[in-house]
Amino acid sequence: MENRSRITILMLPPALWLVLLFIVPLGIMAVFSFREGSFGAEREQFTLENYQHFFANRSYLNLLGTSAWIAFQTALIAVVLSYPLAYFLSFRAGEARVTLLTILIVPAWTSFLLRILSWKLILGSGGVLNTFLLSLGVIQEASPLLIYSRAAVVVTLVYVWIPFATLPIFSALERIDRRLLEAAADLGCPPWEAFLRVTLPLSLPGVIAAFFFVFIPTLGEWVTPALVGGAQGIMYGNLIQDQFVRALNWPLGAIMSLVLMALVLVILIIFNRFIRISDLAGA
Amino acid sequence: MRAQRYLSFGFAYYLLLALFLYLPILVLVIFSFNDSTLLVYPLKGFTLRWYSALLNAHELLDAVRNSVIVGFASSFVSVVFGAMAALAIARFNFPGRGFFLAISSLPLVIPYVVLSVALVLLFAQIGVPLSLFAVGVAHTVINIPYVMLIVAARLAGFEQNLEEAAMDLGATYWGTLMRVTLPIAAPALAAAFLSSFTTSFDEFALAFFLTGTENTLPVYLYSQLRFPNRLPLVVALAAIIMLVSVLLIIFSEWLRRIGTQTTPRGAE
């Protein structure tokens, strides 16, 4: 009985705060998707036209598809690059492994925008890489292709996400009972086969978690494409952002967000058991 | 044995990726000392003029000040609410606990653009103008879950007997909380604060949607990216901020390391 009042006092303020600022806004967004316009009298009228417009115009959903493809490539490459890293840290780095992991995480907490700016300095047409390749004679003239393309978006996002993909894989590898590998070795299993039949399957939940930790936020990404994507590299998130910054069509923007949110929720529900949020908070 | 470990293929791979992750930071620091208004290779010469010019860049310094204010205020609120939830979740089992955990972790995985849109519409609906206040509120939504995870991990890491001992000796539940539990959790609280602050200080996607006339630093930086001749100044500031945040992160990791040791200091 006493516990009940303690729980209420501790839980009520944070729960109310999150409901008011997270759940309620999503509800308002849903209501807004039926409104005729963003401001004034139009805002008081309700209509289904926005939905008709959204689903009649195939280019919106096509761009969502493209964004899913970009997010898929990004997540796949980030996981493939992170796995050996996490494996090295967990199995080979010994006592130093947490320190070595921390060293990798540090850059991820410095300014995102400025690291992207730096990639522009490196990849841009007057950039470090182009001038370097020019001086080597590998290329004849500065190639602007290194930036403002879908590939530039993927490269930049992979760069951004590698530390976060490494964390869940590392945690999964850390949880593997090392005696299983000893047992495999005692029974005459060669190391690579032990890796394929013991380590890899047991680390799979971490790999799947890492994939979605990258895939889901990348689906709605708009900052990176705005900075390095150019016209070819825009994503679904840019479309949403545009409804609020230039087009000022809030109801349409609300529908686009709802569709994205629905997609994310479906993914989360299907892969729920693999996605351990606590892995994100650190090793 | 030890030498062999660090001559391995795995370590070479680690170094390669570490270099890849640090390269952009290195490039920015180098350019901040470059004596040219253009950020192009080859480098011209060494200068400190960008750093001295920073002192007169009022808009830039205003943006820094705004970000510091938003960071402090939102981190404070996040730590208070996050710690409260962590105390309940780590020590009690109650109906709705699992549901709350699931809901409160959603802001960690949901695309920020969805959250931005939802909050813009909320503030429009209730008539709160877009402002630094709105940005700070948004930052609490993304930081509370992190604080909760960090503090709950700390609370799960130490035995409850200290708390029980305090209560056996006549302390009330709240007295125990203030004089035993929170002091033990202090390193985790500090780490959670620092981590919230750095997240808020660097956060752009939400801030872009929610700022009014006053800019936070990332929003200001974004607006400057279109003017190449103003960039060297920004880069100099970036170099300073990156060094400071690297130091802050190392400090916060160190705090958290102490914070999650199984036995609290002095309790052996």
Side-chain angles (χ1 to χ4, degrees):
Chain A
M1 216 62 289
E2 268 181 324
N3 277 351
R4 207 155 138 191
S5 67
R6 289 169 190 164
I7 294 165
T8 313
I9 293 171
L10 288 173
M11 281 306 295
L12 203 60
L16 272 182
W17 186 262
L18 283 181
V19 166
L20 270 176
L21 293 166
F22 186 62
I23 310 295
V24 170
L26 292 177
I28 291 177
M29 188 165 85
V31 172
F32 231 102
S33 69
F34 293 102
R35 298 202 150 133
E36 220 171 81
S38 315
F39 314 99
E42 282 187 327
R43 193 153 125 183
E44 308 308 322
Q45 301 294 320
F46 288 85
T47 172
L48 281 172
E49 267 172 40
N50 304 314
Y51 280 90
Q52 284 164 353
H53 173 75
F54 179 83
F55 288 104
N57 194 333
R58 288 298 299 273
S59 64
Y60 297 147
L61 285 174
N62 284 345
L63 192 56
L64 183 58
T66 306
S67 302
W69 173 232
I70 291 176
F72 178 82
Q73 294 174 61
T74 304
L76 190 68
I77 298 172
V79 166
V80 168
L81 289 177
S82 300
Y83 196 95
L85 196 61
Y87 184 86
F88 163 75
L89 289 172
S90 180
F91 281 82
R92 298 277 183 269
E95 300 279 289
R97 62 184 188 275
V98 180
T99 309
L100 290 176
L101 184 66
T102 308
I103 291 173
L104 290 182
I105 308 289
V106 167
W109 290 100
T110 63
S111 172
F112 168 76
L113 277 177
L114 290 166
R115 282 180 294 141
I116 306 280
L117 166 67
S118 187
W119 277 115
K120 284 178 85 161
L121 297 181
I122 296 168
L123 298 175
S125 51
V128 180
L129 189 62
N130 256 318
T131 30
F132 179 68
L133 291 176
L134 273 174
S135 68
L136 284 183
V138 177
I139 51 174
Q140 302 310 316
E141 53 186 285
S143 159
L145 280 181
L146 294 171
I147 199 165
Y148 301 130
S149 64
R150 207 176 280 171
V153 174
V154 174
V155 170
T156 312
L157 285 171
V158 165
Y159 164 79
V160 168
W161 285 117
I162 280 181
F164 296 103
T166 306
L167 277 179
I169 301 176
F170 176 78
S171 300
L173 289 171
E174 286 287 277
R175 283 194 292 267
I176 294 176
D177 188 341
R178 303 297 142 109
R179 285 172 302 186
L180 292 174
L181 294 169
E182 285 166 25
D186 288 348
L187 295 170
C189 181
W192 60 269
E193 208 183 327
F195 172 77
L196 282 181
R197 295 174 65 170
V198 180
T199 314
L200 189 61
L202 286 174
S203 63
L204 221 49
V207 171
I208 295 171
F211 181 87
F212 286 107
F213 279 150
V214 179
F215 182 81
I216 294 172
T218 304
L219 258 184
E221 176 65 55
W222 65 270
V223 183
T224 308
L227 287 171
V228 303
Q232 296 304 307
I234 69 157
M235 291 176 69
Y236 188 72
N238 300 85
L239 214 57
I240 299 179
Q241 188 246 7
D242 204 53
Q243 303 310 315
F244 285 82
V245 178
R246 275 192 300 165
L248 293 183
N249 190 342
W250 291 4
L252 186 59
I255 294 177
M256 290 170 174
S257 299
L258 280 176
V259 170
L260 179 59
M261 174 86 189
L263 182 61
V264 167
L265 283 181
V266 168
I267 294 170
L268 281 178
I269 289 165
I270 295 175
F271 295 94
N272 178 34
R273 64 199 184 94
F274 295 113
I275 304 178
R276 289 169 62 113
I277 301 287
S278 58
D279 284 350
L280 262 191
Chain B
M1 185 65 208
R2 200 178 161 77
Q4 191 193 6
R5 178 179 295 154
Y6 290 106
L7 287 172
S8 67
F9 181 75
F11 190 61
Y13 183 72
Y14 172 86
L15 282 184
L16 199 70
L17 276 191
L19 184 71
F20 177 57
L21 294 175
Y22 278 87
L23 182 70
I25 298 178
L26 212 65
V27 166
L28 280 188
V29 173
I30 291 170
F31 272 110
S32 74
F33 293 109
N34 186 27
D35 195 4
S36 160
T37 44
L38 293 174
L39 298 173
V40 289
Y41 200 74
L43 302 168
K44 291 285 188 285
F46 181 85
T47 181
L48 286 174
R49 72 176 153 127
W50 305 121
Y51 285 93
S52 56
L54 269 183
L55 295 173
N56 295 315
H58 298 297
E59 280 184 28
L60 190 62
L61 294 178
D62 281 350
V64 173
R65 195 203 55 201
N66 290 341
S67 275
V68 170
I69 294 171
V70 169
F72 264 98
S74 73
S75 305
F76 180 76
V77 174
S78 305
V79 168
V80 171
F81 284 162
M84 287 169 86
L87 283 167
I89 277 164
R91 289 290 182 261
F92 300 110
N93 212 340
F94 50 93
R97 180 175 177 272
F99 181 72
F100 179 79
L101 271 176
I103 293 296
S104 65
S105 53
L106 264 184
L108 293 177
V109 282
I110 200 178
Y112 278 5
V113 71
V114 173
L115 189 58
S116 313
V117 167
L119 286 171
V120 166
L121 296 177
L122 169 82
F123 289 127
Q125 189 70 33
I126 60 177
V128 172
L130 296 181
S131 57
L132 292 178
F133 171 77
V135 177
V137 165
H139 287 172
T140 66
V141 178
I142 55 172
N143 278 328
I144 287 174
Y146 274 109
V147 173
M148 234 171 68
L149 290 174
I150 293 173
V151 178
R154 168 63 175 162
L155 292 175
F158 79 90
E159 304 283 333
Q160 272 171 266
N161 11 4
L162 280 180
E163 290 169 5
E164 281 159 18
M167 294 213 257
D168 284 347
L169 294 172
T172 62
Y173 173 77
W174 302 107
T176 310
L177 207 63
M178 299 311 283
R179 297 172 67 177
V180 179
T181 315
L182 287 181
I184 290 172
L189 294 176
F193 186 90
L194 282 177
S195 138
S196 298
F197 183 83
T198 41
T199 305
S200 165
F201 194 78
D202 184 39
E203 203 288 320
F204 171 70
L206 291 163
F208 177 83
F209 276 87
L210 295 166
T211 42
T213 47
E214 288 185 289
N215 285 334
T216 62
L217 182 62
V219 178
Y220 179 76
L221 291 182
Y222 187 76
S223 71
Q224 297 299 296
L225 294 182
R226 274 170 295 161
F227 309 105
N229 58 336
R230 292 196 207 158
L231 282 180
L233 208 60
V234 168
V235 167
L237 180 75
I240 295 175
I241 291 173
M242 282 187 170
L243 286 180
V244 173
S245 47
V246 164
L247 291 177
L248 271 182
I249 289 300
I250 292 171
F251 181 59
S252 122
E253 278 300 310
W254 177 76
L255 278 176
R256 210 176 61 167
R257 202 71 51 72
I258 312 175
T260 40
Q261 274 165 5
T262 325
T263 349
R265 278 201 184 165
E268 282 94 329

